[in-house]
Amino acid sequence: MKTHNPPILDEHWEGYELAADDAYRYVWVWQGFNIRLLAVPKNEDGAMGYDFGWCYPRDPQLVADSVAAWDSDTQDEPMGWHKRPTGRARRAPRRDADPQYNRDRCEHGHYVDEGCRTVNCRDVLAHQRSRVPAAHHAQQPPAGPTGNSRTVES
């Protein structure tokens, strides 16, 4: 990936291109209370939309540093973001070269096996549920003295 220092103004997206690789241009734009980093395709689709996006705090230098430290060829997503507004996670072309970095992340940017700072994060909860043995889900309340699950007192 080639980074740009200084970033290149992108008038179409009204933001700044920080870097580019073979498939995407990585452009940040102001997005309400966030900065959104966009993975804009280099083909004709890039004129109308983007494939992946990550929200960061309103700190352009943080975004630039995250992109500069990121190897888009072997690492799925950059670090430091707190929300993935696009549903699916990006997959690096050679992701198997860095399996520790490319573990599953929740929609808030945290590795699901390490938990999330967001209470009741649905991705982390789903990960935790998937690790519970199936027998645990099928447990029934203990049987009463008659063998039924309810007891009737006389």
Side-chain angles (χ1 to χ4, degrees), residues 36-137:
R36 183 167 296 174
L37 178 63
L38 311 174
V40 179
K42 285 187 167 180
N43 61 24
E44 62 278 355
D45 293 341
M48 299 302 292
Y50 56 93
D51 289 348
F52 305 100
W54 303 276
C55 294
Y56 286 84
R58 288 180 69 91
D59 181 349
Q61 191 59 52
L62 171 71
V63 181
D65 291 346
S66 294
V67 171
W70 178 38
D71 178 357
S72 65
D73 191 43
T74 62
Q75 298 171 336
D76 292 341
E77 300 177 298
M79 289 294 212
W81 52 274
H82 61 258
K83 181 180 177 188
R84 183 191 309 119
T86 51
R88 62 191 170 95
R90 178 188 176 276
R91 296 292 185 231
R94 295 186 323 104
R95 70 187 314 263
D96 56 333
D98 197 347
Q100 183 64 16
Y101 186 97
N102 293 323
R103 299 186 328 267
D104 288 337
R105 296 188 198 197
C106 72
E107 66 184 328
H108 307 107
H110 300 276
Y111 291 114
V112 294
D113 60 350
E114 293 178 0
C116 179
R117 72 178 189 287
T118 302
V119 176
N120 293 327
C121 171
R122 64 182 171 193
D123 298 323
V124 171
L125 291 174
H127 174 74
Q128 291 169 345
R129 287 185 191 118
S130 73
R131 298 181 56 108
V132 176
H136 178 75
H137 292 295

Side-chain angles (χ1 to χ4, degrees), residues 137-152:
H137 292 295
Q139 282 184 342
Q140 298 295 323
T146 61
N148 296 329
S149 60
R150 291 191 274 165
T151 55
V152 178

